Amino acid sequence: MPAIHRRPRWAISENQATPETVFENRRAILKGLGLGAGALAGIPLLPSYATAEAARDAAALTADLYPAERNERYEVDRELTPEDISGTYNNFYEFGSHKQIARAAQSLVTHPWDIEIDGMVEAPMRIAFEDLVRRVSLEERLYRHRCVEAWSMTVPWTGFPLSALVALAKPSASARYIRFETFNEPKMASGQKQVWYPWPYVEGVTMEEAANDLAFMVTGVYGKPLAKQFGAPVRLALPWKYGFKSIKSIRRVSFTDKRPTSFWEQIAGNEYGFWANVNPEVPHPRWSQAEERILHTGESVPTQLYNGYAEEVAGLYADLTGETLFR
Ligand code: MTE
């Protein structure tokens, strides 16, 4: 995201990026891999050090669960973003502070992948991803995804409601927030060698937000297990908030009575806050949020309050008027 100024000199700013550059970059990646357009998503690109054990990754262990049935309640009035575009234009700072991290992200080892559930819960537990995913019921939902950088896409996520994870965790009545944490393995993810970032990536929601039907734990996309660049094996999707709240590759879920300070809040709290709800009328300190650029068409369209989900979520914030809800 644009808060960090130590970007390499060749990196263009997000505001300058055009659909043409997106296409060019995608072509360059595919060419570099010796692949044609559209080929990226299905092909496992194992790093040279990968062992047979690592090849038994989360996607292979759970492939039988896809495609999951679509829940028609979560429709969108926009065309889906083609997979080869959403899968080659990603924010995943653990693998680089630019959008073309798809190749580098293939070094993410997703097996074994244990998720720690701790803090204010009946009994802390550690659960293997492939066990967790079989204890819930998966469904597909079409969601909008609006980055704080003012681009957007529409994605067919597969996953399960965050409320199902809360039910499994059995938090105590005094828990007020959930804190999510990603892995911290600089050997595997070279972006984490950049010491000026406060690794690991952390995000948080209130218990009320977690109980909202829209809060979704994502394990798949485009009818398949989540490709690594999307945050395999499990990430969050909070479609009414700016995309940075949707933390990727979750390793730890903690229930707490203290409001977590998120990764971007630590870096630039005046630009990226805890709530980060989408609102076209509240500009980012350095740019307008009135419009958004649809990633695969380049078209600019008006941004909607709560990213089009006001009916479902506005009630969550009715009593929080003193809070900075839209940054
Ligand atoms: N999660 C982790 N662990 N690391 C990241 O850098 N980037 C965030 C979010 N989750 C990020 C992350 C941002 S800024 C956005 S917009 C979305 O992931 C991007 O998701 P996508 O690449 O699937 O579009």
Side-chain angles (χ1 to χ4, degrees), residues 110-147:
T110 57
H111 180 77
W113 191 279
D114 287 349
I115 298 165
E116 207 86 57
I117 299 178
D118 61 12
M120 304 172 95
V121 290
E122 203 177 279
M125 64 171 129
R126 174 185 268 255
I127 183 166
F129 168 73
E130 65 270 24
D131 295 337
L132 171 67
V133 80
R134 287 178 202 280
R135 286 179 66 174
V136 291
S137 131
L138 297 185
E139 62 184 50
E140 184 178 70
R141 298 180 177 188
L142 308 186
Y143 271 5
R144 297 157 183 275
H145 175 76
R146 169 59 159 85
C147 181

Side-chain angles (χ1 to χ4, degrees), residues 29-109:
I29 292 175
L30 295 174
K31 207 169 149 217
L33 295 171
L35 300 171
L40 185 64
I43 301 200
L45 301 160
L46 290 173
S48 51
Y49 62 80
T51 60
E53 176 61 15
R56 258 170 32 94
D57 67 6
L61 289 167
T62 58
D64 60 297
L65 299 171
Y66 301 86
E69 204 174 314
R70 181 173 296 177
N71 183 337
E72 303 291 346
R73 272 182 63 198
Y74 303 94
E75 281 293 341
V76 277
D77 55 0
R78 280 191 195 167
E79 206 179 84
L80 287 185
T81 306
E83 179 178 4
D84 56 349
I85 292 185
S86 57
T88 52
Y89 189 87
N90 305 94
N91 275 330
F92 202 169
Y93 277 68
E94 286 82 345
F95 296 99
S97 54
H98 52 87
K99 302 289 181 272
Q100 283 69 47
I101 54 76
R103 185 168 195 186
Q106 304 314 309
S107 60
L108 175 63
V109 176

